[in-house]
Amino acid sequence: MYKIYNLLAVFLLTASSLFSQPCNITPRPKHIEYGTGFYYLPQKTNYSTNLKGQSGDWLRKILRQDKIQFRETFGKAPIRFRCTQNDLEAESYSLRIDASGIRIEAPSEKGLFYAWQSFLQLLPPPENGQYRLQFCHIQDAPRFSYRGMHLDVSRNFFDKNFIKKQLDVMAQYKLNRFHWHLTDGSGWRIEIPTYPELTHQSAFRPYPNWAAWYQGGRSFCSPEHPQAQGGYYSQEDINEIVQYATDRCIEIIAEIEMPGHSEAALSVYPHLACPGETTEKPNYCSGKEETFVFLENVLSHCAKLFPSSYIHIGGDEVDKTPWSKCPYCIQRMKEQNIKDPDHLQEYFINRMEGVLKKLGKKAIVWDEAIVGKLATETLVMCWRNASMGVQAVSQGQKVIMTPSEFCYLNSYQNAPPLEPLAMGGYIPLRKAYSFDPCMDMISNADKKKVLGLQACLWTEYIDTDSHAEYMLYPRLVALAECGWTDPERKSWPDFYRRALSIAESLKLSGYHSFDLRQEVEERSSADATRGNIAYNKPVHYKNKYHSKYPAAGDSSLTDGLKGGWHYGDLRWQGFLDTDIDLHIDLGVNTSISSIDTEFMQQKTQYVWLPKEVRFLLSEDGKEFRLLQSYSTNISANEERVIFNSYRWEGQATGRYIKLQALNRGIPGGWLFIDEIVVR
Ligand code: ACM
Ligand code: ZN
């Protein structure tokens, strides 16, 4: 009987490949074939498995959380899990639904787990106490072994329950690494029993959130302070979260930041900084042995708490100037024959790699650490841009790709003026979905060194659970698909269709997902060529734009392309600490009736509207007459992202159109100008 069912199922599956059918599993599986029959699974049912002992207990625990009520049985059951245990690291699986029931097979427990996640996504709402399941066969495996999500809990603290809630979504979409950014300048969040002062004195702040702390003196307080805000994770919390993650096939990568981003620890132990250090961003002193003793003790504790073979040791954004003035650091450089502070960072990282090795662990570092030579087994997390990945693999390292341009989910996901304040950037869902961690790798050998990708959530401007979820979802799911699904299996229209219902179902499950239906079009899709007599006309600059934001260079402001929601999109032209003074040459005297341009303000990124904008006109390029000037009445303290238009209308004739825009004069302040349209 069983054999007949099987044969029938094979026939039906083959027949089904003649037509395709949308697949609602996310990330999209490698291979799925539908059959034409249905299996009816009762809501209360039995399962069988060859997993025994602890593994059997684990499966029971996992299944207990789901909507189906299970009893384990030893005979033939409607759902059968079989683990072949021939590759415990593999995450592949096979899931077959046919007339004989549901058969799940995988080389490891991870594979069984992912098969189960896929299965749950196939479940329709029950009818009369049973689920109607279409026959199908799925064979699936991930593209990358590292599929991560990072959370910064230093800038703002997120409690244990929040973390577990997000681990649930990660598991559902087959993400397998949680990078826990436990320490940074604005808070130390992990209890270290031998250094209780760390959490007693730098895990709480007398401010409601990071922004108030950052602007208001940056002090810490004890948990007993009446205004204390913040928190930390006790050893018990961490054990509980690690177990919770492990059950869901998620490995936790703890990060202890060093040598920079360490103001919180140094506020408690100032003797670990270079002496006399007064900069806003002090580092651990690389000359003092005490630094290494302290960090070794912290890492040994982490090594016991976290089963992962990796610990992230930071290495990003180190301002090394204190080191070049510190007698201890200078002495260290002399003794070790180190030529400059960059190589002192190499020394620092190499010593910590040694510490980790002794502890049976390996390091992950941010991409700045590739200025020096790294241990072969150290993984480089590339965040500044994709070319860092190219550089790191060419130096022989394996990499995890998290370029901020695609993966920093603290960036705006929609038109910034409509959104809660964010750090900056612009990553709509479609852009996140377009990410390919290997896109800049040249050779296949290099591609093999890319272990995967990670979504990051930095929380400077995110101080509530609901805001964090709003930034994560559904973009995290887009990146989950980029990490799992082969590029040729990805499809934006198909993903978008699924993302709409994913966002909806996340909402029903109590997550504050962004409502994709509220998304507005990218700003730059507007056409600036229509009737524009300045189109393709030369622009002459008195003060040059900055080399970091040239957009398309001299032709950019008249190339017919409007800038988008982000000034870094190669269409906005940036001027640093200077006024704008330029003119367009129309070639001949021309009658004009309007001039338009736009500027933007984004205070979090030191981008301000000009104090004043002037349009002038000339026939000979020497004598200019003022058409109009505008002073900006929007405050420089306005934190919202603002796009401000400047428009002259009238009747005039001339050949040269001059635009002057006065910088606010705040040191380090940018002006960003968009297309100039003349009609
Ligand atoms: C980073 O964003 N500084 C890693
Ligand atoms: Zn020093």
Side-chain angles (χ1 to χ4, degrees), residues 273-275 285-288 322-323 326 328-329:
C274 298
C285 176
S286 284
K288 294 181 186 170
W323 286 351
C326 162
Y328 297 94
C329 288

Side-chain angles (χ1 to χ4, degrees), residues 81-327:
F81 293 91
R82 206 171 90 81
C83 184
T84 55
Q85 304 206 320
N86 52 10
D87 182 353
L88 297 182
E89 282 314 302
E91 296 175 298
S92 56
Y93 66 88
S94 147
L95 163 62
R96 193 185 287 275
I97 303 174
D98 59 25
S100 78
I102 295 133
R103 274 171 294 154
I104 288 173
E105 188 169 302
S108 72
E109 290 169 19
K110 293 174 187 168
L112 295 184
F113 183 77
Y114 293 134
W116 189 241
Q117 299 314 312
S118 293
F119 176 74
L120 291 174
Q121 293 184 29
L122 288 175
L123 278 184
E127 281 170 44
N128 306 323
Q130 54 185 9
Y131 297 101
R132 182 172 178 262
L133 293 162
Q134 186 168 1
F135 291 173
C136 68
H137 181 206
I138 300 172
Q139 265 177 317
D140 201 5
R143 180 178 180 206
F144 294 107
S145 62
Y146 189 113
R147 305 177 304 278
M149 176 184 116
H150 149 288
L151 181 69
D152 166 14
V153 294
S154 173
R155 273 42 176 269
N156 282 302
F157 180 70
F158 295 87
D159 71 13
K160 183 175 79 177
N161 293 329
F162 176 83
I163 309 271
K164 286 174 157 181
K165 191 177 167 198
Q166 313 322 310
L167 291 172
D168 286 343
V169 186
M170 287 180 65
Q172 203 175 348
Y173 296 104
K174 306 188 175 91
L175 291 165
N176 64 0
R177 298 287 189 281
F178 175 57
H179 172 177
W180 205 355
H181 189 76
L182 286 162
T183 76
D184 206 298
S186 27
W188 184 282
R189 308 297 186 187
I190 170 172
E191 180 187 32
I192 308 288
T194 41
Y195 299 103
E197 300 84 2
L198 283 170
T199 38
H200 197 257
Q201 294 173 28
S202 71
F204 292 86
R205 308 176 300 223
Y207 303 92
N209 54 34
W210 176 87
W213 170 83
Y214 194 77
Q215 286 156 20
R218 303 186 202 176
S219 64
F220 295 95
C221 65
S222 77
E224 291 83 34
H225 189 286
Q227 267 94 46
Q229 290 280 334
Y232 64 88
Y233 308 97
S234 66
Q235 293 184 74
E236 294 72 38
D237 291 338
I238 290 178
N239 289 335
E240 188 181 325
I241 291 173
V242 166
Q243 187 59 52
Y244 195 86
T246 308
D247 284 345
R248 285 154 187 77
C249 300
I250 297 169
E251 188 174 311
I252 297 195
I253 312 281
E255 181 179 0
I256 304 294
E257 266 276 18
M258 60 189 83
H261 286 283
S262 45
E263 301 93 307
L266 294 175
S267 75
V268 180
Y269 304 126
H271 62 280
L272 299 180
C274 298
E277 187 41 56
T278 54
T279 54
E280 270 192 355
K281 297 196 163 152
N283 304 321
Y284 291 109
C285 176
S286 284
K288 294 181 186 170
E289 276 308 294
E290 295 165 274
T291 294
F292 296 99
V293 172
F294 167 75
L295 289 171
E296 178 161 354
N297 289 338
V298 169
L299 291 180
S300 329
H301 184 66
C302 293
K304 286 186 224 122
L305 280 180
F306 297 98
S308 170
S309 52
Y310 288 97
I311 294 182
H312 198 307
I313 54 168
D316 58 321
E317 299 184 308
V318 186
D319 172 5
K320 295 163 195 132
T321 41
W323 286 351
S324 52
K325 294 180 285 181
C326 162

Side-chain angles (χ1 to χ4, degrees), residues 150 155 179 181 184 255 257 261 312 314-317 366-368 381-384 402 404 408 410 423 456 458 460:
H150 149 288
R155 273 42 176 269
H179 172 177
H181 189 76
D184 206 298
E255 181 179 0
E257 266 276 18
H261 286 283
H312 198 307
D316 58 321
E317 299 184 308
W366 294 110
D367 63 45
E368 285 90 333
M381 197 170 262
C382 301
W383 72 277
R384 286 178 293 176
T402 178
S404 56
Y408 274 28
N410 38 293
M423 173 87 98
C456 289
W458 299 97
E460 282 90 341

Side-chain angles (χ1 to χ4, degrees), residues 484-521:
W484 182 279
T485 305
D486 293 333
E488 59 278 11
R489 294 278 299 156
K490 282 171 66 188
S491 151
W492 165 247
D494 183 62
F495 177 75
Y496 186 72
R497 175 187 65 80
R498 284 177 281 135
L500 284 167
S501 64
I502 288 169
E504 209 46 51
S505 82
L506 281 167
K507 275 197 170 158
L508 289 173
S509 314
Y511 291 85
H512 187 68
S513 169
F514 171 65
D515 182 353
L516 274 178
R517 290 163 308 182
Q518 302 298 322
E519 192 177 358
V520 302
E521 225 180 318

